Amino acid sequence: MAGGYERLKSGDEAQSLKSNRTTRRVAIGLFMLLALITLSILRVHMPLSADLGAQDIYTSNTTHDGDSVKACAPIAPLGARPPAPINPWASLTIKQTVQIQKWLEEPAQGLNLTRQDISQPSDNHIFMIEAYYPPKSSILNYFSSLSSSDIPRKYARVTIHHGSALEPVVKDYLVGPLPIGSSTRMEPLTEIYHLDAIPHNARGYDTRDWTSPKIIDKMTAPLMEAYKELLGGTPKDTLITSGSGPFSFDGSFRRLWLGWRRNTPGFFLHPLNLYQYIDLSGTDPSQWDQLKIVYNHQVFDTSESFMEAFHNGSLKRVPLASPDADLSYSTRKRIGAQRDLDHLPGPRAVSFAGLRFRVDRDLQYVSWMGWGMYLGFDRDMGLSLWDINFRNERIVYELRPQEALAQYAGNDPFQSTTAWLDRYFGMGQSVRDMLPGYDCPHEAIYLPATTYSVAGMTTRERAICVFEHDSGRPLTRHLGFEENEFGAVKGYQLVIRSISTVGKYVILSHTCDDTEICHPSYDYLGSLHDHVINFKVDLDVAGTANSLLKTTLSQEVVTQPWYEDDWGDQVIQQVVMRNYISNEDDALLKFPANFQGGYSIVNREESNKWGTPRGYAIHPGYSPIHNSAVGSKRVLKNANWARYNLAVSRRKETEPCSSSMWNFNLPGAPPVDFHKFFDGENITQEDLVAWVNVGMHHLPQSEDAPNTRTNTAASSFFLTPVNYFDYDVSIESTNAVLLKNPEKPGDPFTYDDYGVRPVHCVPEPPSSFEYYPAKTFDVDGNPAPASSIEDMRKASELYHRIKLDF
């Protein structure tokens, strides 16, 4: 084979296995990076126990026939055994979504709807249809009884832009119960918001806002000569633009800055020094207009004044880059000499004895080593985990990403006014299929997800991946020479991953001036910014009645009568202080300096056998940050959650999320004001929710070109047991070794590996790399024609790359 290595041959059996590999690799887990990071928290500390069925796979693949090596078991997961025959957090099917769409379009509903693909801002149209999760109490009641009469009713959340109303607004509705029938009703969904309706100027994302021919003509036609001379091209050929955000402060207007860039791969690293501020307020595109032009820090109120300065020589110009300049630095094309031995493929994980986790694809339920959980998926934030239980005891009811903030700094109109809240643009909708063998190992099992947009529905077959891997270090290890003292437990981890790329995730850049330190070769500067991602963690520790325990480490001076005179009569030593936080107003928290302390959710009424309250701690992991710029009007009230490392509040059905998709454009009057969750309520032995932040302070560097590396752009937190168990339950694992002292000096140690020995077999060859576009369906549920590359680019790059159509 190429590269100077050969695959191990195993005869006809292995060849037959290779030829029969089919669709076992079902489709594809921070965040985001998101729920991925959080599950890594659980997986690092996941206690282990035997799972049914693994022994059968193991024994069936350890037989040897002389020198012949058998083929390994096919890589397919065993069926999981969910605690209930339904997934209460399942997404709507395409069929259900179509039924709702048609029901809403019926004249009897009186909504006067226009189909999304032909609608204008002045029309009523459906922006979104997705599942709305049942109340926690009804789900727990059903899980307790498993009676069909207790199955929670299913509802949908529907968002409608009421553009034709006398006062245009956006409203969310509850539609149900489902399926559609005589009892189905529609009512406003207002109880989860602090506003009755969303101003129309804060409406959902729509590229047609800035691609209206009327606004394009107003902003570009007068400047064509200047574009060509100052920027080296025009919007009709080599230039593209991108939009800033938020678009509004309180809903009284809808405006954004457009910044120009070269239309080349990695366009985000090719900024140009011209910005135009446009007004898209109201529902009549003929009234939309351009408000300002900024070029090289010079501000003009009209196109006429700008072009006058352009012609009369008063405009301070920026030197134009050579048309022959090498722009390949922003591409991913491999460069440099091949590194030593890099012609060989790297190591890969192989489950020689078969997969050790179970999956129910239909119900999207995963179990592993005594753990189990349901998966959910939505348009706003993507992957979520539900009913995370160990040995059928619920530990986490809900683990779900809430919002992702990216707040920028800069010295131009675009960077200095930009603070993204990515829920608005849809982190779930921005999930793309995994790259097999790169985003996830070859053995990964993939699960699909379907999201709704104004253009129809999209199914990603590899939206989620599940795999187990060896961390490469033992979970526990101890050296000792007493009996049963020397040994180690292998550190396996289960990973559930989904990857969301909102607007390509780019490092925004701008052109340099004399006051800034720029890239030495390319004359651009990356913008300093913070990423903060918020998670909701609804822990149910030994039940739903929990308390918040604060632990503080400090020092004390101790005097004892037995201290020796030569050492003095005092000792300075550590001391731990524990106290409960009883009021949620005191539960807006930051980690202490030097991490000398922490926070746990405990059940004061449930103790382990040592008489200590059972609990789970929330530990900071890698890069435990909070937002560093507070008070900006861009995030005045709409991202208050980002001010803290974590916060703990009393759980309420009216407070399901720390943010909403509408918060982005309403920083002055957000529909979900996180601080209003904290209204002085008692949080002693109540159902509590922890809101936990991860993220990074991103100080751009030359290595961010062409893309930021995922090994540094990472963050995490850990959920670890604190007196929850009576002992370290990882000691139950049979993937362990216990050494025994040799009979006489110099002899090898004997050992007990509990019968779990390495399997010797030929793994099936990895599948050839392949990647296909997503499956799309129109709003009637019919398969849609395959998208063009340009359409896929528009759907992926959103507001970051706007190619104007003339």
Side-chain angles (χ1 to χ4, degrees):
M1 295 180 65
Y5 60 95
E6 295 184 359
R7 191 184 308 282
L8 177 65
K9 304 290 194 301
S10 62
D12 295 338
E13 185 173 355
Q15 281 300 101
S16 175
L17 183 60
K18 177 180 178 180
S19 65
N20 286 313
R21 285 183 296 110
T22 53
T23 59
R24 57 172 181 74
R25 298 182 185 274
V26 257
I28 123 186
L30 5 68
F31 187 223
M32 241 189 71
L33 188 66
L34 301 99
L36 347 163
I37 294 175
T38 313
L39 188 59
S40 74
I41 297 156
L42 284 173
R43 78 183 185 221
V44 169
H45 294 275
M46 278 186 174
L48 305 174
S49 67
D51 202 2
L52 297 177
Q55 187 65 27
D56 290 339
I57 294 180
Y58 174 69
T59 56
S60 67
N61 290 283
T62 55
T63 52
H64 300 267
D65 182 13
D67 294 331
S68 172
V69 181
K70 300 294 185 183
C72 296
I75 301 302
L78 297 171
R81 300 165 186 171
I86 65 168
N87 181 345
W89 306 281
S91 303
L92 296 176
T93 65
I94 292 176
K95 181 179 180 180
Q96 290 171 325
T97 304
V98 171
Q99 288 178 340
I100 296 168
Q101 169 101 21
K102 291 182 176 179
W103 183 82
L104 293 168
E105 291 175 339
E106 292 176 357
Q109 311 311 328
L111 295 172
N112 188 29
L113 295 174
T114 300
R115 278 289 173 95
Q116 298 91 307
D117 56 340
I118 61 171
S119 66
Q120 299 297 318
S122 56
D123 293 325
N124 297 346
H125 76 84
I126 300 170
F127 180 78
M128 187 176 63
I129 301 173
E130 70 174 10
Y132 190 77
Y133 299 135
K136 180 178 180 179
S137 58
S138 65
I139 291 177
L140 295 189
N141 179 58
Y142 169 64
F143 276 16
S144 177
S145 71
L146 293 182
S147 170
S148 59
S149 61
D150 290 332
I151 294 177
R153 290 185 169 186
K154 195 171 187 68
Y155 284 80
R157 169 193 166 199
V158 173
T159 301
I160 297 179
H161 289 180
H162 292 278
S164 69
L166 188 61
E167 183 178 347
V169 295
V170 177
K171 289 187 177 182
D172 276 359
Y173 298 92
L174 274 184
V175 174
L178 302 176
I180 297 293
S182 59
S183 62
T184 300
R185 297 290 183 269
M186 178 178 178
E187 59 184 39
L189 177 60
T190 57
E191 61 184 19
I192 64 173
Y193 298 132
H194 299 122
L195 298 176
D196 290 334
I198 311 301
H200 197 259
N201 283 327
R203 65 189 178 272
Y205 166 78
D206 190 343
T207 57
R208 291 171 295 185
D209 284 352
W210 44 72
T211 54
S212 164
K214 294 182 176 64
I215 186 63
I216 289 177
D217 187 62
K218 284 183 180 179
M219 61 179 273
T220 62
L223 272 63
M224 284 297 179
E225 183 183 359
Y227 288 138
K228 187 71 175 178
E229 191 169 325
L230 298 175
L231 308 184
T234 74
K236 292 183 178 180
D237 44 54
T238 61
L239 302 183
I240 55 99
T241 188
S242 59
S244 69
F247 308 149
S248 186
F249 176 69
D250 57 7
S252 60
F253 59 84
R254 188 175 178 89
R255 297 170 181 168
L256 69 153
W257 284 96
L258 294 177
W260 291 97
R261 307 179 189 276
R262 293 184 180 88
N263 187 13
T264 189
F267 59 87
F268 40 87
L269 294 180
H270 299 278
L272 300 166
N273 209 338
L274 179 65
Y275 306 91
Q276 295 174 262
Y277 193 41
I278 61 174
D279 188 340
L280 309 172
S281 305
T283 60
D284 183 359
S286 68
Q287 300 300 310
W288 296 351
D289 207 352
Q290 175 180 269
L291 303 179
K292 281 186 176 67
I293 297 175
V294 175
Y295 173 76
N296 192 24
H297 303 292
Q298 301 158 89
V299 183
F300 303 90
D301 291 331
T302 64
S303 298
E304 290 76 14
S305 61
F306 172 71
M307 293 305 296
E308 181 181 358
F310 171 78
H311 286 119
N312 66 23
S314 63
L315 188 71
K316 298 177 182 178
R317 302 192 177 201
V318 176
L320 187 62
S322 167
D324 299 324
D326 181 9
L327 305 182
S328 64
Y329 65 88
S330 61
T331 73
R332 292 193 57 84
K333 185 177 180 180
R334 201 193 71 78
I335 61 175
Q338 190 175 51
R339 298 184 184 184
D340 183 37
L341 299 181
D342 197 29
H343 65 288
L344 299 174
R348 68 181 178 99
V350 176
S351 297
F352 289 97
L355 299 183
R356 303 195 312 157
F357 59 89
R358 297 171 179 267
V359 175
D360 187 315
R361 179 183 169 90
D362 294 334
L363 295 186
Q364 298 227 323
Y365 186 85
V366 178
S367 63
W368 176 72
M369 299 292 124
W371 289 87
M373 65 206 73
Y374 286 94
L375 310 186
F377 199 95
D378 60 29
R379 174 263 179 205
D380 282 7
M381 294 302 297
L383 177 65
S384 55
L385 308 179
W386 299 84
D387 191 44
I388 303 174
N389 63 85
F390 180 66
R391 293 177 180 158
N392 300 318
E393 184 174 15
R394 181 177 304 105
I395 296 175
V396 180
Y397 175 76
E398 174 185 1
L399 200 162
R400 180 160 55 138
Q402 300 291 295
E403 186 60 277
L405 166 68
Q407 182 174 357
Y408 288 80
N411 194 26
D412 65 53
F414 193 107
Q415 317 298 325
S416 62
T417 61
T418 294
W420 305 120
L421 291 182
D422 286 334
R423 187 179 188 123
Y424 174 77
F425 300 97
M427 292 193 69
Q429 194 164 287
S430 298
V431 164
R432 297 297 184 270
D433 274 9
M434 302 287 191
L435 299 175
Y438 294 87
D439 291 331
C440 305
H442 287 289
E443 281 193 354
I445 299 302
Y446 298 102
L447 296 172
T450 298
T451 54
Y452 180 95
S453 71
V454 294
M457 289 148 284
T458 301
T459 297
R460 310 269 178 198
E461 288 297 324
R462 291 173 171 167
I464 303 166
C465 74
V466 184
F467 61 93
E468 183 186 21
H469 78 124
D470 188 344
S471 67
R473 63 175 183 264
L475 183 59
T476 65
R477 185 190 184 279
H478 185 67
L479 171 67
F481 299 99
E482 296 295 330
E483 187 176 2
N484 298 328
E485 198 179 26
F486 190 0
V489 175
K490 289 194 174 182
Y492 293 114
Q493 300 173 349
L494 182 74
V495 180
I496 300 177
R497 177 175 295 160
S498 185
I499 298 178
S500 179
T501 307
V502 184
K504 290 189 76 166
Y505 174 58
V506 297
I507 180 167
L508 298 183
S509 58
H510 64 276
T511 51
C512 293
D513 59 31
D514 295 337
T515 67
E516 297 169 320
I517 300 174
C518 302
H519 191 289
S521 302
Y522 309 122
D523 199 35
Y524 72 83
L525 178 69
S527 298
L528 172 66
H529 57 284
D530 275 356
H531 290 286
V532 190
I533 303 172
N534 187 240
F535 283 84
K536 180 181 181 180
V537 185
D538 182 358
L539 280 156
D540 286 350
V541 179
T544 58
N546 292 162
S547 298
L548 174 60
L549 176 64
K550 178 182 179 181
T551 302
T552 304
L553 297 178
S554 59
Q555 67 180 41
E556 63 178 356
V557 179
V558 179
T559 301
Q560 295 290 357
W562 58 80
Y563 291 157
E564 297 293 337
D565 291 339
D566 53 352
W567 288 97
D569 60 355
Q570 291 183 339
V571 168
I572 297 175
Q573 63 185 14
Q574 291 174 300
V575 62
V576 60
M577 304 293 293
R578 296 182 178 90
N579 65 283
Y580 289 97
I581 297 175
S582 60
N583 189 302
E584 64 181 357
D585 287 352
D586 300 322
L588 296 161
L589 308 168
K590 293 179 181 177
F591 291 126
N594 199 34
F595 298 114
Q596 291 182 208
Y599 301 93
S600 304
I601 303 297
V602 304
N603 190 328
R604 300 173 67 174
E605 299 170 355
E606 294 288 335
S607 302
N608 64 13
K609 77 174 186 177
W610 310 107
T612 307
R614 302 173 70 192
Y616 253 80
I618 302 169
H619 286 293
Y622 182 75
S623 186
I625 72 156
H626 53 80
N627 193 22
S628 62
V630 175
S632 166
K633 289 188 70 174
R634 295 172 288 162
V635 287
L636 187 63
K637 298 179 181 179
N638 61 349
N640 284 330
W641 50 267
R643 300 183 181 207
Y644 315 100
N645 290 122
L646 75 152
V648 177
S649 66
R650 192 167 171 174
R651 188 191 187 279
K652 295 179 181 177
E653 290 295 340
T654 55
E655 297 172 351
C657 300
S658 63
S659 185
S660 75
M661 66 170 294
W662 313 116
N663 275 34
F664 172 59
N665 288 322
L666 294 168
V672 177
D673 187 339
F674 184 67
H675 276 167
K676 291 184 178 180
F677 289 14
F678 298 83
D679 50 7
E681 290 188 302
N682 185 280
I683 53 173
T684 301
Q685 290 303 101
E686 299 288 348
D687 195 355
L688 303 183
V689 169
W691 311 89
V692 187
N693 287 327
V694 298
M696 66 178 293
H697 304 302
H698 196 161
L699 177 60
Q701 56 197 46
S702 59
E703 289 84 1
D704 284 316
N707 302 115
T708 301
R709 298 174 312 285
T710 59
N711 62 336
T712 55
S715 187
S716 62
F717 65 94
F718 296 84
L719 302 176
T720 64
V722 177
N723 303 308
Y724 186 86
F725 301 103
D726 295 332
Y727 55 91
D728 174 15
V729 292
S730 72
I731 205 70
E732 298 167 353
S733 175
T734 53
N735 271 257
V737 65
L738 184 64
L739 276 69
K740 298 181 180 181
N741 293 335
E743 291 290 334
K744 58 183 180 180
D747 285 354
F749 283 78
T750 58
Y751 62 91
D752 185 357
D753 60 9
Y754 307 103
V756 182
R757 298 182 179 87
V759 175
H760 185 46
C761 58
V762 180
E764 61 176 349
S767 300
S768 300
F769 183 86
E770 57 182 27
Y771 197 80
Y772 291 97
K775 296 178 181 177
T776 58
F777 304 84
D778 62 25
V779 292
D780 293 317
N782 301 313
S787 299
S788 67
I789 290 297
E790 184 60 25
D791 286 341
M792 285 192 280
R793 289 194 69 171
K794 289 179 179 178
S796 171
E797 295 164 349
L798 303 173
Y799 45 89
H800 279 308
R801 178 185 180 273
I802 303 170
K803 182 72 172 71
L804 301 182
D805 296 321
F806 290 86

